[in-house]
């Protein structure tokens, strides 16, 4: 019996993510939570011929608590999205309270769940979620992940686009470390597999700005984010069933084996890095190896921004 709770399911990431979960046939129960529309979305999804029973809960009448009851996995996409001219950090004021309230309830209702945060700014919302869980006596850093999978998906995709016709994005693997906004997203092209001989300047600009611009005020990445979020959820499920999987994610390093060594190298506690997933969450983080000179310089900039982002999240929670 596997249940996933999708919080923010009426949003433009949450709805396609709920479709991917329902279509996958990987779940017995899917609960949707949002402030509008989710009962109807649940009815709609229940006409799909897979076994998961989908329920929709609105905020009134304890809907958040009901949606979380018995959840093994929680994925949070709730919150507002960027418009042109905004950075992900501009979302913090609104989204931090949403994350705090959700994770305060997670701590009470499903403290054993494995949780994924998609809501931006991930660099700050994950520390907010961690502190809400900690203050609720339910924090285990091996089960809280900031989803940075879209950065990894993009790195492979942009290489294939740059190489031109016929290149299969899935045949390229590029580690992406750091965080999930602006300069903190650090793709390590020097470690691309197979090795590539294109300049990073020929790759499309990294991150979500291109989508924000082309949506002209209607939001940011939605379908590709749902795709990436689902890829991470699938990895968690595969790991839970006994096959370890390695994926990048933004995690609290000191609480995961191997993490303290990375903290000693970087001086930050939260960082996106390759993580081994096991049956109960993260079992190991991997050091990211040696960087090229230009990547070292980019890492310095990333760390400066990341420290400020983490601090913003912790300060919001009174830490
Ligand atoms: C993305 O990477 O596309 C998302 O984080 C959305 C955004 O604000 O860019």
């Amino acid at each position: 019996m596997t249940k996933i709770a999708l919080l923010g399911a009426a949003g433009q990431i949450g709805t396609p993510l709920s479709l991917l979960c329902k279509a996958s046939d990987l779940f017995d129960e899917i609960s949707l939570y949002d402030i509008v529309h989710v009962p109807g979305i649940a009815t709609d999804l229940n006409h799909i011929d897979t076994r998961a029973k989908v329920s929709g809960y609105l905020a009134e009448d304890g809907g958040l608590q009901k949606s979380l009851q018995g959840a093994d996995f929680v994925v949070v996409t709730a919150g507002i999205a960027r418009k042109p001219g905004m950075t992900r950090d501009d979302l913090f004021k609104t989204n931090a309270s949403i994350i705090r309230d959700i994770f305060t309830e997670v701590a009470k209702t499903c403290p054993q769940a494995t949780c994924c945060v998609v809501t931006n700014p991930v660099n700050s919302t994950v520390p907010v979620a961690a502190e809400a869980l900690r203050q609720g006596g339910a924090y285990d850093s091996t089960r809280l992940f900031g989803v940075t999978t879209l950065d990894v998906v993009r790195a492979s995709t942009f290489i294939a686009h740059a190489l031109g016709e016929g290149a299969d994005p899935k045949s390229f693997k590029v580690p992406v470390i750091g965080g999930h906004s602006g300069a903190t997203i650090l793709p390590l092209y020097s470690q691309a597999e197979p090795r590539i001989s294109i300049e990073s300047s020929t790759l499309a600009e990294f991150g979500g700005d291109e989508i924000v611009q082309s949506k002209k005020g209607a939001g940011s990445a939605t379908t590709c984010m749902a795709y990436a979020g689902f890829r991470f959820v699938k990895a968690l499920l595969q790991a839970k069933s006994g096959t370890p999987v390695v994926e990048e994610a933004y995690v609290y390093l000191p609480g995961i084996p191997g993490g303290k060594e990375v903290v000693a190298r970087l001086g930050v506690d939260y960082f996106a890095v390759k993580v081994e997933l096991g049956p109960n969450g993260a079992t190991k983080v991997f050091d990211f190896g040696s960087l090229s000179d230009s990547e070292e310089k980019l890492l310095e900039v990333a760390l400066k921004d990341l420290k400020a982002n983490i601090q913003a999240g912790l300060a919001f929670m009174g830490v």
Side-chain angles (χ1 to χ4, degrees), residues 163-311:
L163 289 177
E165 198 99 343
D168 173 9
K170 286 216 175 70
S171 63
F172 300 99
K173 303 239 172 315
V174 184
V176 185
I177 62 168
H180 179 70
S181 82
T184 71
I185 306 172
L186 181 46
L188 302 181
Y189 292 116
S190 69
Q191 297 180 19
E193 287 175 18
R195 295 194 74 80
I196 45 162
S197 59
I198 47 177
E199 295 296 317
S200 14
S201 58
T202 65
L203 296 166
E205 199 202 330
F206 214 78
D209 292 5
E210 187 191 6
I211 298 179
V212 172
Q213 296 308 331
S214 78
K215 289 196 174 176
K216 297 185 191 312
S220 56
T222 53
T223 51
C224 63
M225 184 60 94
Y227 169 88
F230 183 64
R231 167 169 147 175
F232 191 72
V233 167
K234 266 195 307 187
L236 290 172
L237 279 166
Q238 194 181 328
K240 188 179 163 68
S241 70
T243 313
V245 187
V246 175
E247 278 283 354
E248 270 96 336
Y250 182 71
V251 292
Y252 179 71
L253 296 166
I256 305 171
K260 291 203 175 99
E261 290 80 341
V262 184
V263 175
R265 176 171 177 186
L266 296 171
V268 290
D269 286 345
Y270 290 91
F271 201 72
V273 72
K274 276 194 179 128
V275 178
E276 183 182 79
L277 305 170
N280 300 308
T283 48
K284 188 175 170 183
V285 300
F286 296 92
D287 193 308
F288 45 85
S290 49
L291 306 184
S292 67
D293 290 348
S294 61
E295 287 165 352
E296 285 288 0
K297 289 198 185 90
L298 291 170
L299 177 62
E300 252 176 65
V301 180
L303 285 172
K304 198 166 145 283
D305 288 2
L306 201 47
K307 278 178 191 159
N309 295 158
I310 295 165
Q311 188 46 40

Side-chain angles (χ1 to χ4, degrees), residues 82 88 120 150 154 180 208 212 220-221 225:
R82 286 201 288 161
R88 292 179 186 80
N120 273 318
L150 180 54
R154 280 183 172 136
H180 179 70
V212 172
S220 56
M225 184 60 94

Side-chain angles (χ1 to χ4, degrees), residues 66-85:
K66 287 178 191 157
S67 71
L68 291 171
Q69 202 83 53
D72 304 289
F73 298 97
V74 174
V75 182
V76 185
T77 58
I80 56 164
R82 286 201 288 161
K83 291 186 166 47

